[in-house]
Amino acid sequence: MKLAILTNSPDGIFQRQVIAGAREVGAEIMIDAQGESAGAYPRFMPHDADGFLSIANAAPHAFLAAALAAGKPVTLVSHHVRELPIPAVVFNNRQGILELVRHLVIDCGRRRLLFVRGIAEQFDAQQREAAFREALLRHSIADAGYISGDFDPETALHSLSDYMHAGNTFDGVIAADYVMAQAIGERLREMGRRVPDEVALVGFGDGPLAREHGITTVAADVNELGARAARQLLHQINGAVITGVTTLNVRLIPRSSSQNGL
């Protein structure tokens, strides 16, 4: 059984963990990193594999439609295409962001929040930002800051520098992923800002980097995300009809980046 994984960035932390989880199903896994954006056509063609697992927006709409037309099942990871009958496996982005904002506002007493965005075109980033805006209304916070991050630490740091040079202030940072949160925490400390006394810091997802640096997160088992998607794909290959979105819940893990003594 050959499963092809389409990915924008096979070396990224998130993608590596999804791929590792998919490998746990025991099928032959092939990696196509040619789909560098939603506008690039993957190198693999529908006849090259028994099924396709697409991470985020690596596979453009035209490829997904072509695979379905060829009778090849597809499962999406951290993405959803409403126009096509393709099942998806995603994290509960809304739950996670609401938990993080509640923690910053209620547990940490922060009101001047800065949100670090993910890649605007990606499903996870869109859901997380929408949940952040919902959380602001829940906690009667009239305004917040936003900077670009693109799920890339260097981009996030450049945006942070511009934001602070413009004279903006904040006492809480919520990043769309924990890798950006960790980089921002280091930069703030280099600048003499005390974390968490002056700035409480949280990020979505969890992994060894977050644990090592004490980043408060919402735990999201990325390996399980990949394994669940691959198993779902195998079921489809074996004749099962699967539709809709499978949502994996997350849980808050407070650490020292937001509260002293943890």
Side-chain angles (χ1 to χ4, degrees):
M1 199 77 69
K2 292 183 179 180
L3 306 184
I5 297 181
L6 311 179
T7 171
N8 292 327
S9 176
D11 296 323
I13 291 176
F14 174 76
Q15 289 83 357
R16 288 204 313 266
Q17 288 183 267
V18 170
I19 292 169
R23 292 189 189 280
E24 294 175 5
V25 305
E28 179 182 347
I29 300 293
M30 304 183 295
I31 308 298
D32 182 355
Q34 302 305 306
E36 296 179 355
S37 72
Y41 212 83
R43 173 171 53 87
F44 288 155
M45 299 300 289
H47 62 268
D48 291 330
D50 296 300
F52 293 87
L53 190 157
S54 178
I55 302 175
N57 62 339
H61 191 285
F63 178 86
L64 297 174
L68 292 180
K72 297 301 177 75
V74 180
T75 287
L76 304 177
V77 175
S78 292
H79 194 50
H80 182 44
V81 179
R82 292 178 176 84
E83 299 81 10
L84 296 173
I86 299 176
V89 182
V90 304
F91 287 130
N92 194 330
N93 292 305
R94 179 176 177 273
Q95 174 209 2
I97 293 297
L98 292 179
E99 286 275 358
L100 290 173
V101 175
R102 189 209 61 78
H103 174 68
L104 284 179
V105 175
I106 303 301
D107 299 337
C108 306
R110 308 308 163 104
R111 303 286 299 180
R112 291 177 289 115
L113 304 184
L114 174 63
F115 184 76
V116 188
R117 293 175 162 125
I119 297 173
E121 296 79 15
Q122 289 191 4
F123 178 81
D124 279 343
Q126 293 168 357
Q127 284 209 323
R128 291 171 195 176
E129 183 166 342
F132 177 71
R133 294 181 185 276
E134 177 187 343
L136 296 181
L137 294 175
R138 283 190 174 203
H139 297 286
S140 300
I141 297 176
D143 195 18
Y146 298 83
I147 62 174
S148 298
D150 295 342
F151 295 131
D152 174 67
E154 289 302 316
T155 299
L157 291 178
H158 283 304
S159 298
L160 177 69
S161 178
D162 291 343
Y163 188 77
M164 295 181 70
H165 284 161
N168 296 296
T169 61
F170 50 91
D171 61 8
V173 176
I174 177 168
D177 78 7
Y178 71 87
V179 181
M180 295 189 296
Q182 185 271 326
I184 286 174
E186 284 195 359
R187 180 58 53 86
L188 289 173
R189 291 184 180 95
E190 290 171 1
M191 298 171 64
R193 302 289 296 274
R194 289 175 295 132
V195 178
D197 294 336
E198 293 180 70
V199 180
L201 179 73
V202 301
F204 198 101
D206 197 44
L209 186 70
R211 294 190 289 272
E212 177 184 350
H213 292 273
I215 305 298
T216 292
T217 66
V218 282
D221 190 334
V222 183
N223 281 71
E224 175 58 22
L225 189 74
R228 183 79 64 92
R231 288 195 296 268
Q232 188 179 93
L233 191 55
L234 287 177
H235 288 319
Q236 291 183 83
I237 292 171
N238 291 326
V241 177
I242 301 175
T243 59
V245 178
T246 299
T247 302
L248 305 185
N249 286 334
V250 298
R251 61 186 178 86
L252 180 72
I253 302 182
R255 295 192 179 104
S256 61
S257 70
S258 63
Q259 291 185 312
N260 280 317
L262 294 179

